[in-house]
Amino acid sequence: MNCLFCSIIEKKIPADIVYEDEDVIAFKDIAPRAPLHLLIIPKLHVSTLNDLEEHHANLAGKLLLIAQKLAKQLGHAEEGYRVVMNCNQGAGQTVFHIHLHLLAGRLFQWPPG
Ligand code: 5GP
Ligand code: ZN
């Protein structure tokens, strides 16, 4: 399978990794949309949110907890931050290995465009 984010996990493609454990890796987005823009991904390949199953519940929750911890560690928890997961082309998903965007360091519009 040819997956960009699996290649980053396997260290075949370089990335600016800020967090890693046995299940999850987080790295800087190559085209940041905010002063802080990290991608938090499971090491398990799951293509889209539509493919997430019941037995992935702990892993999915872990992505959120790591987003919260990184936001705190990097000093953005009080001012606020946004987490986003795009599902399929209509929502703007371009890499088909699920990832949570963690964005912070500027004001964000609501509702999003
Ligand atoms: P999506 O559009 O699928 O929700 O988000 C994919 C994200 O991956 C985009 O924000 C894009 O900038 C980022 N991205 C694409 N290719 C690379 C890459 O090779 N390295 C890193 N670090 N980020 C990438
Ligand atoms: Zn993958």
Side-chain angles (χ1 to χ4, degrees), residues 77-110:
E78 290 305 315
E79 74 195 28
Y81 54 93
R82 180 168 287 178
V83 293
V84 174
M85 185 178 284
N86 298 320
C87 181
N88 275 341
Q89 288 92 342
Q93 186 175 5
T94 58
V95 179
F96 287 82
H97 178 132
I98 56 167
H99 47 280
L100 207 57
H101 295 260
L102 170 60
L103 299 136
R106 67 169 172 85
L107 291 175
F108 297 97
Q109 288 184 336
W110 189 261

PDB file of all heavy atoms in Angstrom, residues 77-110:
ATOM      1  N   ALA A  77      -3.416  26.088  25.293  1.00  0.00           N
ATOM      2  CA  ALA A  77      -4.677  25.576  25.845  1.00  0.00           C
ATOM      3  C   ALA A  77      -5.593  26.699  26.312  1.00  0.00           C
ATOM      4  O   ALA A  77      -6.811  26.637  26.110  1.00  0.00           O
ATOM      5  CB  ALA A  77      -4.400  24.599  26.983  1.00  0.00           C
ATOM      6  N   GLU A  78      -5.019  27.734  26.928  1.00  0.00           N
ATOM      7  CA  GLU A  78      -5.854  28.808  27.473  1.00  0.00           C
ATOM      8  C   GLU A  78      -6.444  29.673  26.375  1.00  0.00           C
ATOM      9  O   GLU A  78      -7.622  30.002  26.394  1.00  0.00           O
ATOM     10  CB  GLU A  78      -5.038  29.654  28.461  1.00  0.00           C
ATOM     11  CG  GLU A  78      -4.707  28.920  29.751  1.00  0.00           C
ATOM     12  CD  GLU A  78      -5.951  28.373  30.452  1.00  0.00           C
ATOM     13  OE1 GLU A  78      -6.953  29.108  30.556  1.00  0.00           O
ATOM     14  OE2 GLU A  78      -5.932  27.207  30.880  1.00  0.00           O
ATOM     15  N   GLU A  79      -5.636  30.058  25.417  1.00  0.00           N
ATOM     16  CA  GLU A  79      -6.126  30.949  24.345  1.00  0.00           C
ATOM     17  C   GLU A  79      -7.126  30.215  23.441  1.00  0.00           C
ATOM     18  O   GLU A  79      -8.029  30.832  22.887  1.00  0.00           O
ATOM     19  CB  GLU A  79      -4.954  31.464  23.497  1.00  0.00           C
ATOM     20  CG  GLU A  79      -4.395  30.404  22.560  1.00  0.00           C
ATOM     21  CD  GLU A  79      -3.042  30.732  21.957  1.00  0.00           C
ATOM     22  OE1 GLU A  79      -2.267  31.463  22.578  1.00  0.00           O
ATOM     23  OE2 GLU A  79      -2.771  30.215  20.864  1.00  0.00           O
ATOM     24  N   GLY A  80      -6.923  28.911  23.296  1.00  0.00           N
ATOM     25  CA  GLY A  80      -7.829  28.111  22.481  1.00  0.00           C
ATOM     26  C   GLY A  80      -7.140  27.516  21.269  1.00  0.00           C
ATOM     27  O   GLY A  80      -6.102  28.009  20.807  1.00  0.00           O
ATOM     28  N   TYR A  81      -7.728  26.459  20.796  1.00  0.00           N
ATOM     29  CA  TYR A  81      -7.171  25.755  19.637  1.00  0.00           C
ATOM     30  C   TYR A  81      -8.302  25.027  18.943  1.00  0.00           C
ATOM     31  O   TYR A  81      -9.411  24.919  19.475  1.00  0.00           O
ATOM     32  CB  TYR A  81      -6.059  24.782  20.072  1.00  0.00           C
ATOM     33  CG  TYR A  81      -6.457  23.798  21.137  1.00  0.00           C
ATOM     34  CD1 TYR A  81      -6.934  22.545  20.795  1.00  0.00           C
ATOM     35  CD2 TYR A  81      -6.361  24.123  22.494  1.00  0.00           C
ATOM     36  CE1 TYR A  81      -7.301  21.631  21.774  1.00  0.00           C
ATOM     37  CE2 TYR A  81      -6.724  23.227  23.482  1.00  0.00           C
ATOM     38  CZ  TYR A  81      -7.191  21.989  23.121  1.00  0.00           C
ATOM     39  OH  TYR A  81      -7.573  21.089  24.085  1.00  0.00           O
ATOM     40  N   ARG A  82      -8.028  24.573  17.755  1.00  0.00           N
ATOM     41  CA  ARG A  82      -9.049  23.862  16.987  1.00  0.00           C
ATOM     42  C   ARG A  82      -8.516  22.491  16.583  1.00  0.00           C
ATOM     43  O   ARG A  82      -7.355  22.372  16.181  1.00  0.00           O
ATOM     44  CB  ARG A  82      -9.441  24.660  15.740  1.00  0.00           C
ATOM     45  CG  ARG A  82     -10.508  23.978  14.895  1.00  0.00           C
ATOM     46  CD  ARG A  82     -11.068  24.905  13.849  1.00  0.00           C
ATOM     47  NE  ARG A  82     -11.936  25.911  14.468  1.00  0.00           N
ATOM     48  CZ  ARG A  82     -12.549  26.892  13.805  1.00  0.00           C
ATOM     49  NH1 ARG A  82     -12.375  27.004  12.514  1.00  0.00           N
ATOM     50  NH2 ARG A  82     -13.322  27.753  14.443  1.00  0.00           N
ATOM     51  N   VAL A  83      -9.365  21.481  16.680  1.00  0.00           N
ATOM     52  CA  VAL A  83      -9.027  20.159  16.140  1.00  0.00           C
ATOM     53  C   VAL A  83     -10.031  19.838  15.042  1.00  0.00           C
ATOM     54  O   VAL A  83     -11.227  20.116  15.176  1.00  0.00           O
ATOM     55  CB  VAL A  83      -8.995  19.045  17.220  1.00  0.00           C
ATOM     56  CG1 VAL A  83      -7.867  19.254  18.200  1.00  0.00           C
ATOM     57  CG2 VAL A  83     -10.312  18.934  17.940  1.00  0.00           C
ATOM     58  N   VAL A  84      -9.511  19.296  13.952  1.00  0.00           N
ATOM     59  CA  VAL A  84     -10.326  19.045  12.760  1.00  0.00           C
ATOM     60  C   VAL A  84      -9.952  17.684  12.189  1.00  0.00           C
ATOM     61  O   VAL A  84      -8.763  17.341  12.143  1.00  0.00           O
ATOM     62  CB  VAL A  84     -10.034  20.115  11.672  1.00  0.00           C
ATOM     63  CG1 VAL A  84     -10.761  19.792  10.369  1.00  0.00           C
ATOM     64  CG2 VAL A  84     -10.392  21.516  12.158  1.00  0.00           C
ATOM     65  N   MET A  85     -10.963  16.928  11.775  1.00  0.00           N
ATOM     66  CA  MET A  85     -10.686  15.731  10.986  1.00  0.00           C
ATOM     67  C   MET A  85     -11.583  15.789   9.749  1.00  0.00           C
ATOM     68  O   MET A  85     -12.808  15.769   9.870  1.00  0.00           O
ATOM     69  CB  MET A  85     -10.945  14.451  11.779  1.00  0.00           C
ATOM     70  CG  MET A  85     -10.534  13.203  11.014  1.00  0.00           C
ATOM     71  SD  MET A  85     -10.790  11.685  11.953  1.00  0.00           S
ATOM     72  CE  MET A  85      -9.405  11.744  13.095  1.00  0.00           C
ATOM     73  N   ASN A  86     -10.980  15.920   8.604  1.00  0.00           N
ATOM     74  CA  ASN A  86     -11.728  15.959   7.347  1.00  0.00           C
ATOM     75  C   ASN A  86     -12.011  14.531   6.889  1.00  0.00           C
ATOM     76  O   ASN A  86     -11.127  13.676   6.951  1.00  0.00           O
ATOM     77  CB  ASN A  86     -10.914  16.689   6.272  1.00  0.00           C
ATOM     78  CG  ASN A  86     -10.646  18.141   6.642  1.00  0.00           C
ATOM     79  OD1 ASN A  86     -11.524  18.824   7.182  1.00  0.00           O
ATOM     80  ND2 ASN A  86      -9.445  18.622   6.373  1.00  0.00           N
ATOM     81  N   CYS A  87     -13.215  14.290   6.440  1.00  0.00           N
ATOM     82  CA  CYS A  87     -13.586  12.959   5.945  1.00  0.00           C
ATOM     83  C   CYS A  87     -14.011  13.038   4.488  1.00  0.00           C
ATOM     84  O   CYS A  87     -15.045  13.635   4.174  1.00  0.00           O
ATOM     85  CB  CYS A  87     -14.697  12.347   6.793  1.00  0.00           C
ATOM     86  SG  CYS A  87     -15.146  10.687   6.231  1.00  0.00           S
ATOM     87  N   ASN A  88     -13.180  12.479   3.637  1.00  0.00           N
ATOM     88  CA  ASN A  88     -13.419  12.376   2.183  1.00  0.00           C
ATOM     89  C   ASN A  88     -13.286  13.722   1.457  1.00  0.00           C
ATOM     90  O   ASN A  88     -13.165  14.770   2.087  1.00  0.00           O
ATOM     91  CB  ASN A  88     -14.749  11.682   1.889  1.00  0.00           C
ATOM     92  CG  ASN A  88     -14.592  10.161   1.874  1.00  0.00           C
ATOM     93  OD1 ASN A  88     -13.478   9.667   1.728  1.00  0.00           O
ATOM     94  ND2 ASN A  88     -15.685   9.441   2.020  1.00  0.00           N
ATOM     95  N   GLN A  89     -13.305  13.637   0.164  1.00  0.00           N
ATOM     96  CA  GLN A  89     -12.954  14.797  -0.690  1.00  0.00           C
ATOM     97  C   GLN A  89     -13.839  16.002  -0.421  1.00  0.00           C
ATOM     98  O   GLN A  89     -13.351  17.138  -0.435  1.00  0.00           O
ATOM     99  CB  GLN A  89     -13.063  14.422  -2.178  1.00  0.00           C
ATOM    100  CG  GLN A  89     -11.975  13.489  -2.683  1.00  0.00           C
ATOM    101  CD  GLN A  89     -12.373  12.021  -2.573  1.00  0.00           C
ATOM    102  OE1 GLN A  89     -13.301  11.660  -1.824  1.00  0.00           O
ATOM    103  NE2 GLN A  89     -11.677  11.154  -3.282  1.00  0.00           N
ATOM    104  N   GLY A  90     -15.115  15.773  -0.196  1.00  0.00           N
ATOM    105  CA  GLY A  90     -16.048  16.879  -0.005  1.00  0.00           C
ATOM    106  C   GLY A  90     -15.700  17.749   1.181  1.00  0.00           C
ATOM    107  O   GLY A  90     -16.049  18.932   1.217  1.00  0.00           O
ATOM    108  N   ALA A  91     -15.003  17.181   2.156  1.00  0.00           N
ATOM    109  CA  ALA A  91     -14.596  17.939   3.337  1.00  0.00           C
ATOM    110  C   ALA A  91     -13.155  18.418   3.234  1.00  0.00           C
ATOM    111  O   ALA A  91     -12.643  19.067   4.155  1.00  0.00           O
ATOM    112  CB  ALA A  91     -14.778  17.088   4.585  1.00  0.00           C
ATOM    113  N   GLY A  92     -12.493  18.057   2.140  1.00  0.00           N
ATOM    114  CA  GLY A  92     -11.120  18.523   1.944  1.00  0.00           C
ATOM    115  C   GLY A  92     -10.047  17.515   2.308  1.00  0.00           C
ATOM    116  O   GLY A  92      -8.869  17.869   2.367  1.00  0.00           O
ATOM    117  N   GLN A  93     -10.429  16.249   2.548  1.00  0.00           N
ATOM    118  CA  GLN A  93      -9.395  15.254   2.863  1.00  0.00           C
ATOM    119  C   GLN A  93      -8.553  14.979   1.618  1.00  0.00           C
ATOM    120  O   GLN A  93      -9.093  14.700   0.538  1.00  0.00           O
ATOM    121  CB  GLN A  93     -10.021  13.947   3.371  1.00  0.00           C
ATOM    122  CG  GLN A  93      -8.970  12.949   3.842  1.00  0.00           C
ATOM    123  CD  GLN A  93      -9.563  11.689   4.474  1.00  0.00           C
ATOM    124  OE1 GLN A  93     -10.784  11.493   4.482  1.00  0.00           O
ATOM    125  NE2 GLN A  93      -8.694  10.837   4.985  1.00  0.00           N
ATOM    126  N   THR A  94      -7.247  15.085   1.779  1.00  0.00           N
ATOM    127  CA  THR A  94      -6.326  14.843   0.659  1.00  0.00           C
ATOM    128  C   THR A  94      -5.383  13.675   0.928  1.00  0.00           C
ATOM    129  O   THR A  94      -4.827  13.111  -0.008  1.00  0.00           O
ATOM    130  CB  THR A  94      -5.484  16.099   0.352  1.00  0.00           C
ATOM    131  OG1 THR A  94      -4.755  16.471   1.529  1.00  0.00           O
ATOM    132  CG2 THR A  94      -6.358  17.260  -0.098  1.00  0.00           C
ATOM    133  N   VAL A  95      -5.174  13.343   2.198  1.00  0.00           N
ATOM    134  CA  VAL A  95      -4.328  12.197   2.550  1.00  0.00           C
ATOM    135  C   VAL A  95      -5.227  11.169   3.228  1.00  0.00           C
ATOM    136  O   VAL A  95      -5.862  11.463   4.254  1.00  0.00           O
ATOM    137  CB  VAL A  95      -3.168  12.607   3.482  1.00  0.00           C
ATOM    138  CG1 VAL A  95      -2.334  11.385   3.854  1.00  0.00           C
ATOM    139  CG2 VAL A  95      -2.286  13.671   2.828  1.00  0.00           C
ATOM    140  N   PHE A  96      -5.271   9.971   2.645  1.00  0.00           N
ATOM    141  CA  PHE A  96      -6.251   8.988   3.085  1.00  0.00           C
ATOM    142  C   PHE A  96      -5.663   8.015   4.112  1.00  0.00           C
ATOM    143  O   PHE A  96      -5.646   6.802   3.926  1.00  0.00           O
ATOM    144  CB  PHE A  96      -6.911   8.330   1.864  1.00  0.00           C
ATOM    145  CG  PHE A  96      -7.847   9.317   1.216  1.00  0.00           C
ATOM    146  CD1 PHE A  96      -7.354  10.276   0.335  1.00  0.00           C
ATOM    147  CD2 PHE A  96      -9.177   9.366   1.574  1.00  0.00           C
ATOM    148  CE1 PHE A  96      -8.199  11.229  -0.212  1.00  0.00           C
ATOM    149  CE2 PHE A  96     -10.034  10.318   1.041  1.00  0.00           C
ATOM    150  CZ  PHE A  96      -9.536  11.251   0.146  1.00  0.00           C
ATOM    151  N   HIS A  97      -5.205   8.625   5.203  1.00  0.00           N
ATOM    152  CA  HIS A  97      -4.802   7.953   6.445  1.00  0.00           C
ATOM    153  C   HIS A  97      -5.274   8.937   7.513  1.00  0.00           C
ATOM    154  O   HIS A  97      -4.795  10.083   7.536  1.00  0.00           O
ATOM    155  CB  HIS A  97      -3.273   7.762   6.455  1.00  0.00           C
ATOM    156  CG  HIS A  97      -2.710   7.126   7.687  1.00  0.00           C
ATOM    157  ND1 HIS A  97      -1.812   6.079   7.645  1.00  0.00           N
ATOM    158  CD2 HIS A  97      -2.889   7.394   9.004  1.00  0.00           C
ATOM    159  CE1 HIS A  97      -1.469   5.730   8.877  1.00  0.00           C
ATOM    160  NE2 HIS A  97      -2.103   6.531   9.727  1.00  0.00           N
ATOM    161  N   ILE A  98      -6.230   8.516   8.334  1.00  0.00           N
ATOM    162  CA  ILE A  98      -6.892   9.505   9.209  1.00  0.00           C
ATOM    163  C   ILE A  98      -5.889  10.301  10.027  1.00  0.00           C
ATOM    164  O   ILE A  98      -4.862   9.787  10.474  1.00  0.00           O
ATOM    165  CB  ILE A  98      -7.965   8.884  10.142  1.00  0.00           C
ATOM    166  CG1 ILE A  98      -7.407   7.770  11.000  1.00  0.00           C
ATOM    167  CG2 ILE A  98      -9.185   8.457   9.361  1.00  0.00           C
ATOM    168  CD1 ILE A  98      -8.359   7.370  12.118  1.00  0.00           C
ATOM    169  N   HIS A  99      -6.221  11.557  10.213  1.00  0.00           N
ATOM    170  CA  HIS A  99      -5.356  12.476  10.963  1.00  0.00           C
ATOM    171  C   HIS A  99      -6.196  13.573  11.570  1.00  0.00           C
ATOM    172  O   HIS A  99      -7.159  14.051  10.959  1.00  0.00           O
ATOM    173  CB  HIS A  99      -4.282  13.075  10.049  1.00  0.00           C
ATOM    174  CG  HIS A  99      -4.803  13.599   8.744  1.00  0.00           C
ATOM    175  ND1 HIS A  99      -5.080  12.767   7.675  1.00  0.00           N
ATOM    176  CD2 HIS A  99      -5.116  14.843   8.346  1.00  0.00           C
ATOM    177  CE1 HIS A  99      -5.534  13.492   6.670  1.00  0.00           C
ATOM    178  NE2 HIS A  99      -5.583  14.765   7.052  1.00  0.00           N
ATOM    179  N   LEU A 100      -5.790  13.936  12.768  1.00  0.00           N
ATOM    180  CA  LEU A 100      -6.407  15.062  13.461  1.00  0.00           C
ATOM    181  C   LEU A 100      -5.502  16.262  13.234  1.00  0.00           C
ATOM    182  O   LEU A 100      -4.304  16.200  13.518  1.00  0.00           O
ATOM    183  CB  LEU A 100      -6.462  14.717  14.950  1.00  0.00           C
ATOM    184  CG  LEU A 100      -7.544  15.329  15.815  1.00  0.00           C
ATOM    185  CD1 LEU A 100      -8.926  15.001  15.289  1.00  0.00           C
ATOM    186  CD2 LEU A 100      -7.381  14.804  17.235  1.00  0.00           C
ATOM    187  N   HIS A 101      -6.072  17.346  12.708  1.00  0.00           N
ATOM    188  CA  HIS A 101      -5.335  18.606  12.619  1.00  0.00           C
ATOM    189  C   HIS A 101      -5.449  19.300  13.982  1.00  0.00           C
ATOM    190  O   HIS A 101      -6.561  19.424  14.512  1.00  0.00           O
ATOM    191  CB  HIS A 101      -5.953  19.543  11.584  1.00  0.00           C
ATOM    192  CG  HIS A 101      -5.895  19.057  10.172  1.00  0.00           C
ATOM    193  ND1 HIS A 101      -4.938  19.503   9.280  1.00  0.00           N
ATOM    194  CD2 HIS A 101      -6.670  18.200   9.479  1.00  0.00           C
ATOM    195  CE1 HIS A 101      -5.143  18.930   8.097  1.00  0.00           C
ATOM    196  NE2 HIS A 101      -6.193  18.133   8.192  1.00  0.00           N
ATOM    197  N   LEU A 102      -4.333  19.749  14.535  1.00  0.00           N
ATOM    198  CA  LEU A 102      -4.336  20.603  15.728  1.00  0.00           C
ATOM    199  C   LEU A 102      -3.821  21.965  15.294  1.00  0.00           C
ATOM    200  O   LEU A 102      -2.677  22.093  14.844  1.00  0.00           O
ATOM    201  CB  LEU A 102      -3.429  20.011  16.820  1.00  0.00           C
ATOM    202  CG  LEU A 102      -3.142  20.919  18.020  1.00  0.00           C
ATOM    203  CD1 LEU A 102      -4.407  21.313  18.766  1.00  0.00           C
ATOM    204  CD2 LEU A 102      -2.164  20.221  18.986  1.00  0.00           C
ATOM    205  N   LEU A 103      -4.703  22.959  15.380  1.00  0.00           N
ATOM    206  CA  LEU A 103      -4.387  24.308  14.901  1.00  0.00           C
ATOM    207  C   LEU A 103      -4.489  25.287  16.063  1.00  0.00           C
ATOM    208  O   LEU A 103      -5.459  25.254  16.830  1.00  0.00           O
ATOM    209  CB  LEU A 103      -5.381  24.716  13.809  1.00  0.00           C
ATOM    210  CG  LEU A 103      -5.384  23.821  12.573  1.00  0.00           C
ATOM    211  CD1 LEU A 103      -6.799  23.508  12.127  1.00  0.00           C
ATOM    212  CD2 LEU A 103      -4.601  24.480  11.443  1.00  0.00           C
ATOM    213  N   ALA A 104      -3.511  26.180  16.167  1.00  0.00           N
ATOM    214  CA  ALA A 104      -3.534  27.168  17.252  1.00  0.00           C
ATOM    215  C   ALA A 104      -2.628  28.334  16.889  1.00  0.00           C
ATOM    216  O   ALA A 104      -1.856  28.276  15.924  1.00  0.00           O
ATOM    217  CB  ALA A 104      -3.078  26.530  18.557  1.00  0.00           C
ATOM    218  N   GLY A 105      -2.768  29.409  17.679  1.00  0.00           N
ATOM    219  CA  GLY A 105      -1.875  30.551  17.516  1.00  0.00           C
ATOM    220  C   GLY A 105      -2.473  31.689  16.723  1.00  0.00           C
ATOM    221  O   GLY A 105      -1.804  32.681  16.437  1.00  0.00           O
ATOM    222  N   ARG A 106      -3.721  31.566  16.341  1.00  0.00           N
ATOM    223  CA  ARG A 106      -4.449  32.667  15.697  1.00  0.00           C
ATOM    224  C   ARG A 106      -5.925  32.490  15.988  1.00  0.00           C
ATOM    225  O   ARG A 106      -6.347  31.465  16.561  1.00  0.00           O
ATOM    226  CB  ARG A 106      -4.184  32.703  14.188  1.00  0.00           C
ATOM    227  CG  ARG A 106      -4.729  31.540  13.403  1.00  0.00           C
ATOM    228  CD  ARG A 106      -4.644  31.823  11.913  1.00  0.00           C
ATOM    229  NE  ARG A 106      -4.980  30.699  11.071  1.00  0.00           N
ATOM    230  CZ  ARG A 106      -6.221  30.353  10.704  1.00  0.00           C
ATOM    231  NH1 ARG A 106      -7.253  31.021  11.185  1.00  0.00           N
ATOM    232  NH2 ARG A 106      -6.437  29.337   9.901  1.00  0.00           N
ATOM    233  N   LEU A 107      -6.719  33.494  15.574  1.00  0.00           N
ATOM    234  CA  LEU A 107      -8.171  33.374  15.749  1.00  0.00           C
ATOM    235  C   LEU A 107      -8.745  32.559  14.596  1.00  0.00           C
ATOM    236  O   LEU A 107      -8.280  32.657  13.459  1.00  0.00           O
ATOM    237  CB  LEU A 107      -8.811  34.761  15.781  1.00  0.00           C
ATOM    238  CG  LEU A 107      -8.485  35.605  17.021  1.00  0.00           C
ATOM    239  CD1 LEU A 107      -9.076  37.000  16.862  1.00  0.00           C
ATOM    240  CD2 LEU A 107      -9.024  34.928  18.285  1.00  0.00           C
ATOM    241  N   PHE A 108      -9.773  31.775  14.899  1.00  0.00           N
ATOM    242  CA  PHE A 108     -10.422  30.948  13.884  1.00  0.00           C
ATOM    243  C   PHE A 108     -11.881  31.371  13.741  1.00  0.00           C
ATOM    244  O   PHE A 108     -12.552  31.615  14.729  1.00  0.00           O
ATOM    245  CB  PHE A 108     -10.351  29.470  14.276  1.00  0.00           C
ATOM    246  CG  PHE A 108      -8.943  28.959  14.354  1.00  0.00           C
ATOM    247  CD1 PHE A 108      -8.286  28.903  15.575  1.00  0.00           C
ATOM    248  CD2 PHE A 108      -8.270  28.567  13.213  1.00  0.00           C
ATOM    249  CE1 PHE A 108      -6.980  28.453  15.649  1.00  0.00           C
ATOM    250  CE2 PHE A 108      -6.971  28.119  13.281  1.00  0.00           C
ATOM    251  CZ  PHE A 108      -6.319  28.063  14.504  1.00  0.00           C
ATOM    252  N   GLN A 109     -12.341  31.410  12.516  1.00  0.00           N
ATOM    253  CA  GLN A 109     -13.734  31.754  12.256  1.00  0.00           C
ATOM    254  C   GLN A 109     -14.645  30.587  12.616  1.00  0.00           C
ATOM    255  O   GLN A 109     -14.281  29.426  12.448  1.00  0.00           O
ATOM    256  CB  GLN A 109     -13.938  32.042  10.765  1.00  0.00           C
ATOM    257  CG  GLN A 109     -13.339  33.346  10.318  1.00  0.00           C
ATOM    258  CD  GLN A 109     -13.659  33.611   8.850  1.00  0.00           C
ATOM    259  OE1 GLN A 109     -13.914  32.697   8.085  1.00  0.00           O
ATOM    260  NE2 GLN A 109     -13.642  34.865   8.478  1.00  0.00           N
ATOM    261  N   TRP A 110     -15.834  30.939  13.081  1.00  0.00           N
ATOM    262  CA  TRP A 110     -16.888  29.947  13.242  1.00  0.00           C
ATOM    263  C   TRP A 110     -18.181  30.559  12.765  1.00  0.00           C
ATOM    264  O   TRP A 110     -18.515  31.665  13.171  1.00  0.00           O
ATOM    265  CB  TRP A 110     -17.008  29.471  14.704  1.00  0.00           C
ATOM    266  CG  TRP A 110     -17.934  28.306  14.751  1.00  0.00           C
ATOM    267  CD1 TRP A 110     -19.251  28.321  15.087  1.00  0.00           C
ATOM    268  CD2 TRP A 110     -17.632  26.967  14.384  1.00  0.00           C
ATOM    269  NE1 TRP A 110     -19.789  27.079  14.951  1.00  0.00           N
ATOM    270  CE2 TRP A 110     -18.806  26.219  14.522  1.00  0.00           C
ATOM    271  CE3 TRP A 110     -16.474  26.318  13.939  1.00  0.00           C
ATOM    272  CZ2 TRP A 110     -18.873  24.862  14.217  1.00  0.00           C
ATOM    273  CZ3 TRP A 110     -16.541  24.968  13.642  1.00  0.00           C
ATOM    274  CH2 TRP A 110     -17.733  24.252  13.790  1.00  0.00           C
TER     275      TRP A 110
END
